[in-house]
Amino acid sequence: MRHLSTLDSHTGRPLEFSCRPLRTAQAREAAADFLAGLNPPPPEPTVQKVVLLVSELVANAFRHVGTVTSMELRADRHHIQVVVEDPGPAHPQGRAPDLTGRSGGFGWPMIQRLAHHVTVARARTGTGKAITATLAR
């Protein structure tokens, strides 16, 4: 997993983190490490929400497209953003969750409930999409 961090010139702490996770577990670990390095660190409920957002966004990309192009985490004094890009052109679609557990349907509604704001846009590469989930820090 390749990554790039941007450091706050005053604290030396990362404000942006970028990587291309090969597995959902890598994405969760990277998110937890990024959040632990923030000063001040976000409260535990926020950490849990961000890690869950990362997990769902990355897992959905692997499940529906087969890969993740990039994952970015950004933080400022007020917000935390999770951006996951994949090469698939289709926007996520809400559907009734499968209560038998066979075909999912829980991830996208969960993402929309956890984040204060979710956008789907064209990826910076021009191919695929970027999903950005923003929540209060």
Side-chain angles (χ1 to χ4, degrees):
M1 177 170 71
R2 182 178 57 83
H3 63 85
L4 168 70
S5 295
T6 301
L7 302 180
D8 181 319
S9 61
H10 297 292
T11 65
R13 301 287 186 188
L15 296 175
E16 292 185 10
F17 174 83
S18 177
C19 68
R20 184 176 184 192
L22 301 175
R23 296 183 330 271
T24 303
Q26 283 181 322
R28 284 192 301 266
E29 291 170 15
D33 289 346
F34 171 78
L35 296 168
L38 295 177
N39 186 17
E44 188 58 28
T46 301
V47 170
Q48 291 172 0
K49 285 181 185 179
V50 171
V51 171
L52 187 53
L53 279 168
V54 163
S55 186
E56 288 298 323
L57 287 167
V58 170
N60 282 352
F62 283 127
R63 180 176 188 169
H64 298 289
V65 182
T67 191
V68 171
T69 307
S70 71
M71 179 183 81
E72 295 180 16
L73 303 168
R74 302 178 190 134
D76 62 25
R77 292 180 354 160
H78 305 288
H79 300 97
I80 297 172
Q81 281 189 329
V82 176
V83 183
V84 174
E85 291 189 11
D86 68 54
H91 285 223
Q93 299 295 315
R95 60 188 169 99
D98 177 4
L99 299 178
T100 67
R102 291 187 199 115
S103 65
F106 294 93
W108 187 241
M110 185 185 313
I111 290 163
Q112 292 177 312
R113 280 192 303 274
L114 289 169
H116 289 116
H117 187 69
V118 179
T119 60
V120 181
R122 183 179 212 132
R124 289 175 306 193
T125 61
T127 303
K129 66 183 163 299
I131 299 176
T132 303
T134 304
L135 63 158
R137 183 167 173 176

